[in-house]
Amino acid sequence: MALVAAGVVGVACQDVVSAPGACPEFCPESAIDVRDTMLSTVLASSVVATDTGYLNSVVPQGSYAGYVLPHEAAQMPVVGPGSPVEARALMVFFRFTGNYAGGDTSVKDTIRQTDSLRFTFNILRRNTNVSGVTLALHEIPIVTDTAKTFADMDPYFQDSTLIGTLVVPDSVDSGTVAVTLLPGALRHFVADSLQSGIGVSIVSPDSAFVTLGPDSATPAARIQRFVQVDSSTGNKLVSRSETRQLYFKTFVADTAGAPPPSGLRVGGITGARVFIKLNLPTRLVDSMVVVRASLLIPPPAPIPGAPGDTFHLRVLPLGTDFGPKSPLADPTYGGYTRVAVGSSDTVTMDLTRAFLLWRGNAVMPHTVMLGMVQFEEAGSIDAFDLPDQSSAASRAILRITYGAPFRPGR
Amino acid sequence: MTMGARVLGIVALVGLSAPGVARAQNSVYGIAGLGFPGEPLSVPARALAGGLAAVDPYSALNPAAVSNVGNLVAVFTGGTTLRRYTASGDTAIGGLRETRFPYGMFGGRITGTPVSFALNFSTYAERTYDVTSAGTQVLRGDTVQVTDRLGSDGAVTDLRGALAFRVWPRLLVGAAVHMLGGSSRLDVRRTFSDSAYLAYVEQQHLVFSGYGVSGGFLLRATRAIELAGSARLDGRLTSRIRGDSVGSARLPVSLTGGLRLSPARDIRLSATATHRSWTRSQPDLAASTQAFDTWEVASGLELGSMPLRLGVRYRQLPFSNVGTQPTEVVFAGGSGLLLAQGRAALDFAVERFRRSGGGADEQGWQFSVGVMVVPISLR
């Protein structure tokens, strides 16, 4: 008997009941009901969202800055004076020592002569429609710090401080460029105990921009010193080099020429973030299966920023909503999209995965953060302004594709 | 082994066929309506294609037959179905296979009384299927390819409690209450060809409930002739998801008549006919589903003391998504033997079925094994 029972159970594990449907005769009469809808109604921008009386599906809460300071930003924008915002990069390198410390023990460490200094910069992106971009390198104080403003640093970007120029080849959209200078070009190099500070600006053409920063293999900038040292036998001079990385970096920007934001601003020099409350029908979150959700945002004006540049705009739900310092949810629940400076096209942000987080979770706020992707945050003059939500013609809306609860026999 | 230990052992065996795991065979005809109607038959009755059902004390059709159970007995069965079908003329599916435990029983004479009781578990309607279909849907102005998968795994189960007693030496009467239960696990998915859409995935637990009553008689007209009749009235079958009702449907009134002839010691002929008014459920079904009243007629022949059983059954099926009613023809055979010095019996049945109509043709085999355990010798 036990054998019979065991045999029967064993066979039971191999059930095969799956089959293609022969519709409509031999398909279940109940159908999956997937619908598409827009959540948009009359809005007063001051409306505080509630689940019971949502007047508007998208309610901006505010624009907040200070999450990433310029010296913490991953990248440094360098923008020419012809743009609405002019930006300059400031860099201070680690100091060299009086002796050679390049790691080659087969030579003696006494430096007989310094031949040259080479500065190498890593370009992350630039406006590719401009040719002949020229960077100007100025010597700046090695005590430059985070408190310095564009105006503070302006005296160091004069002809008297110019130590060299660097033409970015048109063929280089991203990658490294370098310039080699004689040691005497840096007038304070020796006096500053073999430490150097460099400011980078664009001198031509005016509308150009270059974004400097590190990538996975290359630092944002480095300095290389070429020297002559004695060989191990001491009877001849040999050339060696050693490298120093960045000790400090930041950027300064002049925003005086930039038009004021036409709405709550995302990004910009301050890397601002906007929090948006979504007024969602309770039934939509609790009972429906959202298969696609898109936040459609028409820019109120052409997207401001460095001409020809593009940037990533990201959206991410808040873990808890208690103002500007609200923690963000896991990044896997967010999304991002690339937008182009100067475009007036509606920007579509994917919110589908946020609904996975919200479904059946009464604790999670239905508030999302709109900001730049972290790598670009506070390291760009690009920005994105939200439209005025009181205007029915131009406000942001939420487009939801969802499946109604499946009910057998209906 | 004491009597108490034996009874406990029997109860444990019956417990193996509890509602959570017991399900009957699947069918392409089980997709529509309330499901594919189950058969509350013991394995000997299955081997006779159901011809014995009206007079069989170990089947759950006629409560009066419970009076013939005698000593305490436990019965449980298992079965494997192999089938294939063609549908809509161009969809041919083969290699489908299911193993289920569709029937169980525990009962016997209440000591010191003329009353017998039985508790039966059976499948009322099988609701197991897993269907995949493809199509298109226009979303956001674009036509998107979609693939739907609707899976249901479960059944409406019928738990019967029956009492029967001998009114006269030749007349047995019985009555029963039926508690319908069971559940079905729904797995509903839609995937989209456009990866911008997440899959629609919903998993739900559909719980069934309902009640019914039945009554019947068994008359031994002569030593060679037994006549039987029974009626069953069920209420509504209610479906719930997370406690909320999502629908209910009226269930049929069932009328059964049957007879058994024993012209010689080792020859037994039996026949059973049942009518069920499934059209009562029509107002509660989806508009695309057509319900039909059904007739079921079965006849069987049993020969010998280690019997050879043969039978044939014709029945109409109750639901279709088109206007024509499907039917089923079954040829069955089987046998059985006593084990453990008569304290157990092992029966088996083989059924060859063919279902057709409503746009499909389904054929297959059903293999059933039944075990009966008694604390006192069957001899």
Side-chain angles (χ1 to χ4, degrees), chain A residues 26, chain B residues 27-32 35-36 317 319 326 355-362:
Chain A
F26 295 100
Chain B
S27 170
V28 68
Y29 293 100
I31 294 174
F36 190 81
L317 299 177
F319 302 110
R355 301 158 189 153
S356 60
D361 186 279
E362 185 173 52

Side-chain angles (χ1 to χ4, degrees), chain B residues 234-253:
Chain B
D234 290 306
R236 299 185 73 97
L237 179 67
T238 302
S239 306
R240 289 184 171 82
I241 293 177
R242 288 192 291 272
D244 298 329
S245 175
V246 294
S248 68
R250 296 175 187 84
L251 295 174
V253 174

Side-chain angles (χ1 to χ4, degrees), chain B residues 175-192:
Chain B
V177 294
H178 298 259
M179 189 168 69
L180 300 179
S183 64
S184 174
R185 190 177 67 243
L186 294 176
D187 187 355
V188 185
R189 295 168 188 267
R190 170 170 288 181
T191 55
F192 302 86

Side-chain angles (χ1 to χ4, degrees), chain A residues 8 11 14-21 25-28 32 34 36 291-292 294 352 399 401 404 406-407 410, chain B residues 31 88 93 96-101 130-132 137 140 189 197-198 200 202 204 246 288 321-322 358 360:
Chain A
V8 168
V11 174
Q14 302 170 23
D15 281 4
V16 180
V17 298
S18 184
E25 296 93 334
F26 295 100
C27 276
I32 298 171
V34 175
D36 196 30
V291 297
R292 188 176 181 183
S294 306
T352 309
R399 184 165 197 174
T401 306
F406 183 82
R407 289 290 177 262
R410 299 196 179 167
Chain B
I31 294 174
S88 301
I93 307 299
L96 300 175
R97 179 175 59 242
E98 262 200 319
T99 296
R100 297 293 186 240
F101 304 90
D130 192 339
V131 175
T132 302
Q137 181 175 13
R140 304 188 178 197
R189 295 168 188 267
Y197 294 91
L198 290 182
Y200 170 95
E202 193 162 24
Q204 294 177 340
V246 294
S288 60
N321 281 340
V322 295

Side-chain angles (χ1 to χ4, degrees), chain A residues 61-94:
Chain A
Q61 303 287 286
S63 177
Y64 310 106
Y67 300 99
V68 180
L69 299 175
H71 70 282
E72 298 170 328
Q75 57 189 27
M76 295 170 284
V78 183
V79 187
S83 300
V85 175
E86 183 179 358
R88 296 165 177 169
L90 310 177
M91 297 171 247
V92 178
F93 295 91
F94 282 101

Side-chain angles (χ1 to χ4, degrees), chain B:
Chain B
M1 182 182 289
T2 65
M3 177 67 86
R6 288 169 178 163
V7 171
L8 282 176
I10 292 168
V11 171
L13 286 173
V14 172
L16 289 174
S17 57
V21 296
R23 287 164 287 193
Q25 81 276 11
N26 190 9
S27 170
V28 68
Y29 293 100
I31 294 174
L34 302 180
F36 190 81
E39 299 154 316
L41 303 179
S42 65
V43 171
R46 296 195 78 97
L48 294 167
L52 184 66
V55 297
D56 182 16
Y58 306 112
S59 295
L61 197 61
N62 183 358
V66 171
S67 254
N68 283 334
V69 170
N71 298 315
L72 277 177
V73 61
V75 175
F76 61 95
T77 70
T80 293
T81 304
L82 308 176
R83 65 189 174 94
R84 59 187 170 87
Y85 70 84
T86 59
S88 301
D90 57 356
T91 302
I93 307 299
L96 300 175
R97 179 175 59 242
E98 262 200 319
T99 296
R100 297 293 186 240
F101 304 90
Y103 185 72
M105 177 213 169
F106 172 63
R109 179 75 51 81
I110 299 175
T111 305
T113 73
V115 178
S116 297
F117 77 98
L119 295 173
N120 303 75
F121 167 80
S122 62
T123 299
Y124 187 85
E126 169 66 25
R127 295 176 62 91
T128 297
Y129 53 81
D130 192 339
V131 175
T132 302
S133 59
T136 60
Q137 181 175 13
V138 176
L139 288 172
R140 304 188 178 197
D142 296 325
T143 300
V144 180
Q145 301 279 341
V146 300
T147 301
D148 290 350
R149 179 179 175 186
L150 298 179
S152 171
D153 189 2
V156 181
T157 58
D158 180 6
L159 185 62
R160 187 188 80 162
L163 289 175
F165 68 98
R166 196 174 294 271
V167 181
W168 296 306
R170 293 188 174 187
L171 178 63
L172 315 177
V173 296
V177 294
H178 298 259
M179 189 168 69
L180 300 179
S183 64
S184 174
R185 190 177 67 243
L186 294 176
D187 187 355
V188 185
R189 295 168 188 267
R190 170 170 288 181
T191 55
F192 302 86
S193 59
D194 185 344
S195 60
Y197 294 91
L198 290 182
Y200 170 95
V201 179
E202 193 162 24
Q203 291 175 319
Q204 294 177 340
H205 201 66
L206 196 61
V207 177
F208 308 110
S209 62
Y211 297 93
V213 295
S214 64
F217 72 93
L218 185 60
L219 176 65
R220 187 158 199 170
T222 70
R223 293 182 65 86
I225 301 175
E226 291 174 275
L227 301 173
S230 67
R232 174 173 175 169
L233 174 62
D234 290 306
R236 299 185 73 97
L237 179 67
T238 302
S239 306
R240 289 184 171 82
I241 293 177
R242 288 192 291 272
D244 298 329
S245 175
V246 294
S248 68
R250 296 175 187 84
L251 295 174
V253 174
S254 305
L255 299 173
T256 298
L259 61 83
R260 177 160 59 179
L261 306 177
S262 304
R265 185 172 181 272
D266 287 334
I267 300 176
R268 292 172 291 279
L269 285 164
S270 57
T272 297
T274 301
H275 179 267
R276 294 186 175 92
S277 56
W278 285 100
T279 51
R280 279 164 46 91
S281 65
Q282 183 67 69
D284 306 313
L285 300 178
S288 60
T289 301
Q290 175 79 45
F292 302 92
D293 289 341
T294 62
W295 275 103
E296 178 176 336
V297 181
S299 181
L301 171 64
E302 192 172 26
L303 302 171
S305 56
M306 182 183 165
L308 170 65
R309 298 168 180 139
L310 299 169
V312 61
R313 178 175 73 236
Y314 167 84
R315 73 166 168 169
Q316 298 167 318
L317 299 177
F319 302 110
S320 171
N321 281 340
V322 295
T324 55
Q325 183 174 19
T327 59
E328 179 189 57
V329 176
V330 178
F331 296 96
S335 186
L337 67 159
L338 297 178
L339 302 171
Q341 298 179 327
R343 294 182 185 275
L346 181 66
D347 295 286
F348 66 92
V350 178
E351 296 165 83
R352 171 66 175 172
F353 60 83
R354 178 171 183 175
R355 301 158 189 153
S356 60
D361 186 279
E362 185 173 52
Q363 300 179 48
W365 296 89
Q366 162 98 10
F367 301 93
S368 302
V369 174
V371 176
M372 181 184 301
V373 180
V374 295
I376 299 172
S377 172
L378 291 173
R379 291 176 183 173

